[in-house]
Amino acid sequence: MFSKILIANRGEIACRVMRTAKRLGIATVAVYSDADADALHVRVADEAIRIGPAPSVESYLRIDTIVDACRSTGAQAVHPGYGFLSENAAFADALAEAGIVFVGPPVGAITAMGDKIASKKLADEAGVNTIPGYTDVVRDAAHAVEIADGIGYPVMLKASAGGGGKGMRVAYDRDGCREGFDRATSEARSSFGDDRVFIEKFIEQPRHIEIQVLADQHGSCIYLGERECSIQRRHQKVIEEAPSPFLDEATRRAMGEQAVALSRAVDYCSAGTVEFIVDKHRNFYFLEMNTRLQVEHPVTEIVTGIDLVEQMLHVAAGAPLALTQDDVQLDGWAVEARIYAEDPLRNFLPSVGRVEQYVAPTEVDGVRVDAGVYAGGEVSIFYDPMIAKLIGYGSDRPAAVANLLDALDAYVIRGPADNIAFLSAVLRHPRFASGDISTAFIEEQYPDGFGPECVTHDQPELLAAIATELEARVNPRGLGADGQATVVALSDDRKGFDATVRGEGDSRQVIVNGVAHSLQLEWDPRTTLARAEIDGTPFTLQAMRDGIDWQLRHRGYSFHARVMRPRTAELFGLMPVKAPPDLSRFLLSPMPGLLVTLSVGEGDRVEPGQDLAIVEAMKMENVLRAERAATVAAVLAQPGDNLNVDQPILEFD
């Protein structure tokens, strides 16, 4: 086994690899850019070395610099994590030339599976089910339309070197095919330096289910069950689970055997994942093979009891697998939620900045946290906005989901926006609970986007009771002499709750709208966490003082309320609601990013739906279109400008 390894990555995956390495007694080396000098993975590592400026092309993608870092630190092997250079054959070659072990598969497997056109042909030859499509390179938009007409709409245009949802578009007609080709090739060129695109039939109502494989250098290859990854947004996975609530044992075995057959066809070794699209009849088709560790690998580790990072290190060191297929048993259920610095209320736009407050849930039985940030750290515009992966697990699916929901309630993140409310809403959705999901789940359930109205609370009166108790603790004069108050829910059209607090100490009685509730409350204003027991039922929430108001968060629901004496509340109800400012005269940048294209100029007339600008953020191109007919009065930004969120780009008459 190695005595020292370098992790050629950052964030939560770097920290996660270090966790296993340290348990095995292996020293760890972190690499960092200028933007990550104080990052968590730098703090966790035994030593760290700078590799360049903030942009990833000048740091985390610099093969020569990382190889030099290995030489200078004496690292014997490199674990690439996922993303960056994890599936880069040139990187693996450069390490081999320097006498450094790449903790991953052979270069031949990376090359074969990294090209989606070549990989589909190989899958066909290996007897793996594949989706009907055109596997050669598409020349141009006209050629794309010709091919799509032959296959039949809808079709999927996909970057050959793609991944992570970049360079991927669905087209339902000829116009969509032309635009999809342009966007897919542009994103592919920007993200991968390779603008080749291929086309395949788009299977409607599909499920995305993948098989984890593990192979050594001695010819052994096994599969470790499946992961259901159907909850996706813009082809990015959001929630993953193991096992799938949809597969039966026969389908699981057939998919696993095909995944192993493909792995053997390319002489695979290390951990890898074969992804499939599965239709409603459990017919499955090869999608791609990821020749690296997956983001969602923890759910497989939990239900199999196998540490995949440890297995990768043993395989890279030349050891044979200590497991056979018969040794693999699935026990229990695990569900993972990806915590992102993004704002669901602003169409999930990335959010950046300093993490002002950060308290992760306690890793007790039933909860695992793989995190990459800390209080005082930064979420940078230069990298993926993932903050952490939160995993709930239990004896069955309902238990795993319940543990995950409780952990989301206890996750405190202040500074950048986060997607916790959205994750809670999805996990609580009846359709998710039933297991009736597909990759179109989010589009179908939130067709108009995600807004506050998408999250409701089953018992808002209990939140009103807690708000009353909190007010009684910090501002007892805010209640009447007999403990009476009116709780006005500012987040719910000023709905009122009549409340009365009785008793002394931490255990009291709160009467809300005539119903008495016993309440025990522990609240730490330093972390905003509150742990309550109401009528014998425990739950966790977050409570923050917001001026004279209270902001409570539970199960993704935000309860913004003001606790007042009844007469004060009566007068408050007579006050008019302040109207928000009218910003319809401006085209605002919905995210921090680079203004790539500006399609109109001063004096131009624009029509609804017309393309106005393209803003690139996190290597994704976002087309901004006109919402109404108007004339451009002023151009307030130019291509090449780095934009802040809500920065004006155009002003209209």
Side-chain angles (χ1 to χ4, degrees):
M1 181 52 74
F2 312 109
S3 59
K4 181 186 287 190
I5 65 170
L6 181 145
I7 296 88
N9 218 296
R10 64 178 300 280
E12 64 84 17
I13 187 58
C15 296
R16 185 267 168 274
V17 172
M18 291 173 193
R19 180 190 303 181
T20 290
K22 292 193 173 189
R23 178 172 60 79
L24 297 175
I26 302 172
T28 58
V29 179
V31 293
Y32 64 90
S33 69
D34 290 341
D36 278 341
D38 296 319
L40 183 62
H41 73 282
V42 175
R43 297 184 171 202
V44 171
D46 295 306
E47 56 185 301
I49 186 166
R50 177 186 178 276
I51 54 171
S56 56
V57 294
E58 301 178 48
S59 52
Y60 295 104
L61 294 174
R62 282 286 301 273
I63 293 174
D64 55 343
T65 306
I66 294 176
V67 172
D68 286 343
C70 292
R71 290 194 181 104
S72 65
T73 59
Q76 302 158 300
V78 171
H79 195 298
Y82 52 76
F84 292 134
L85 297 171
S86 61
E87 295 177 286
N88 189 301
F91 180 49
D93 267 336
L95 290 173
E97 290 178 10
I100 301 162
V101 176
F102 178 69
V103 183
V107 170
I110 296 173
T111 302
M113 293 294 101
D115 186 317
K116 290 182 173 56
I117 295 174
S119 67
K120 186 172 181 179
K121 292 178 179 178
L122 280 168
D124 272 328
E125 294 170 2
V128 179
N129 304 340
T130 58
I131 303 171
Y134 184 82
T135 55
D136 287 328
V137 177
V138 182
R139 297 189 301 272
D140 51 34
H143 189 208
V145 170
E146 178 186 340
I147 294 166
D149 287 347
I151 296 173
Y153 295 96
V155 297
M156 174 80 81
L157 297 98
K158 301 172 69 174
S160 180
K166 299 180 179 68
M168 186 181 295
R169 289 291 188 277
V170 177
Y172 292 89
D173 52 35
R174 290 184 168 188
D175 289 342
C177 187
R178 293 187 187 95
E179 181 180 353
F181 179 83
D182 291 341
R183 295 278 73 78
T185 53
S186 179
E187 284 184 4
R189 188 182 307 112
S190 173
S191 298
F192 313 112
D194 181 346
D195 64 0
R196 292 176 303 153
V197 167
F198 69 102
I199 299 178
E200 62 188 18
K201 179 70 176 176
F202 178 65
I203 297 175
E204 298 185 270
Q205 294 299 310
R207 301 178 80 112
H208 185 136
I209 302 176
E210 60 192 29
I211 300 292
Q212 176 72 57
V213 295
L214 187 62
D216 63 21
Q217 301 176 33
H218 307 278
S220 295
C221 184
I222 60 176
Y223 64 93
L224 306 182
E226 81 281 0
R227 294 185 287 261
E228 172 89 52
C229 307
S230 297
I231 303 298
Q232 301 181 5
R233 187 186 62 80
R234 295 179 182 172
H235 309 294
Q236 287 272 22
K237 300 166 188 173
V238 176
I239 293 173
E240 303 103 340
E241 58 185 304
S244 165
F246 184 61
L247 292 193
D248 54 27
E249 184 55 41
T251 308
R252 176 179 295 116
R253 185 183 308 110
M255 292 175 69
E257 289 173 352
Q258 288 199 14
V260 168
L262 179 61
S263 301
R264 291 189 185 281
V266 293
D267 296 323
Y268 198 85
C269 66
S270 191
T273 299
V274 181
E275 302 193 350
F276 294 92
I277 290 293
V278 185
D279 69 17
K280 62 183 179 181
H281 302 295
R282 296 194 179 92
N283 298 310
F284 57 90
Y285 307 94
F286 171 72
L287 182 62
E288 63 181 342
M289 183 175 189
N290 289 304
T291 56
R292 55 169 167 79
L293 193 66
Q294 291 280 87
V295 175
E296 58 273 17
H297 74 275
V299 295
T300 295
E301 293 185 322
I302 289 169
V303 299
T304 62
I306 298 169
D307 185 323
L308 289 172
V309 173
E310 179 179 357
Q311 294 298 320
M312 293 179 76
L313 291 169
H314 282 303
V315 168
L321 289 181
L323 301 164
T324 67
Q325 192 63 60
D326 290 340
D327 294 324
V328 179
Q329 302 293 326
L330 305 184
D331 182 19
W333 213 284
V335 185
E336 174 182 291
R338 300 189 185 190
I339 312 294
Y340 280 108
E342 63 184 13
D343 191 347
L345 303 181
R346 297 173 63 91
N347 197 26
F348 299 91
L349 296 176
S351 182
V352 298
R354 185 171 299 279
V355 181
E356 298 170 2
Q357 192 177 44
Y358 180 82
V359 181
T362 304
E363 285 199 283
V364 296
D365 188 31
V367 175
R368 170 173 163 175
V369 185
D370 284 13
V373 302
Y374 61 93
E378 292 277 342
V379 175
S380 171
I381 191 174
F382 295 100
Y383 314 116
D384 186 275
M386 183 185 289
I387 291 174
K389 301 176 308 198
L390 184 62
I391 304 98
Y393 58 93
S395 58
D396 54 24
R397 191 170 187 260
V401 172
N403 286 336
L404 180 53
L405 281 167
D406 288 342
L408 286 168
D409 286 340
Y411 217 132
V412 180
I413 304 169
R414 298 292 177 268
D418 63 69
N419 65 335
I420 288 177
F422 172 68
L423 295 170
S424 295
V426 171
L427 291 167
R428 294 174 59 221
H429 198 286
R431 186 176 158 191
F432 179 85
S434 71
D436 177 23
I437 57 179
S438 76
T439 56
F441 175 91
I442 291 175
E443 296 173 8
E444 293 171 352
Q445 302 307 139
Y446 307 102
D448 300 320
F450 184 80
E453 71 281 356
C454 297
V455 186
T456 60
H457 200 279
D458 296 335
Q459 295 178 292
E461 66 276 6
L462 300 185
L463 299 179
I466 292 172
T468 307
E469 168 63 14
L470 289 167
E471 185 74 19
R473 291 189 183 188
V474 304
N475 182 32
R477 296 180 65 182
L479 277 63
D482 55 358
Q484 288 186 330
T486 298
V487 182
V488 178
L490 304 175
S491 54
D492 190 11
D493 295 329
R494 295 192 178 187
K495 180 180 180 180
F497 299 84
D498 296 325
T500 303
V501 178
R502 292 178 178 170
E504 300 292 336
D506 292 337
S507 181
R508 304 216 256 187
Q509 185 184 68
V510 182
I511 303 170
V512 181
N513 291 346
V515 179
H517 302 278
S518 62
L519 171 63
Q520 293 183 345
L521 182 66
E522 297 178 10
W523 175 54
D524 185 348
R526 297 169 299 176
T527 66
T528 74
L529 279 179
R531 304 191 185 279
E533 184 175 298
I534 298 182
D535 299 332
T537 301
F539 64 96
T540 301
L541 72 156
Q542 297 178 33
M544 296 152 283
R545 192 67 158 162
D546 183 12
I548 61 173
D549 302 330
W550 290 99
Q551 188 84 27
L552 308 185
R553 297 182 185 177
H554 181 248
R555 289 296 192 260
Y557 180 73
S558 184
F559 185 74
H560 187 196
R562 185 171 299 176
V563 182
M564 297 172 279
R565 296 187 179 196
R567 177 56 179 164
T568 305
E570 185 179 337
L571 296 174
F572 177 74
L574 301 176
M575 298 180 64
V577 177
K578 183 178 179 180
D582 180 16
L583 299 175
S584 61
R585 294 190 304 111
F586 297 92
L587 175 69
L588 305 177
S589 178
M591 69 203 79
L594 176 69
L595 180 58
V596 177
T597 302
L598 194 60
S599 304
V600 296
E602 185 174 336
D604 288 351
R605 182 70 178 174
V606 301
E607 299 299 329
Q610 180 179 339
D611 290 3
L612 301 178
I614 297 177
V615 176
E616 182 185 281
M618 306 295 178
K619 295 295 184 182
M620 296 288 283
E621 292 187 350
N622 302 272
V623 180
L624 309 185
R625 296 182 170 91
E627 295 183 353
R628 59 182 177 84
T631 300
V632 179
V635 176
L636 306 175
Q638 297 296 328
D641 288 354
N642 285 305
L643 304 175
N644 297 316
V645 65
D646 286 336
Q647 181 173 335
I649 300 172
L650 299 173
E651 182 179 0
F652 304 104
D653 284 339

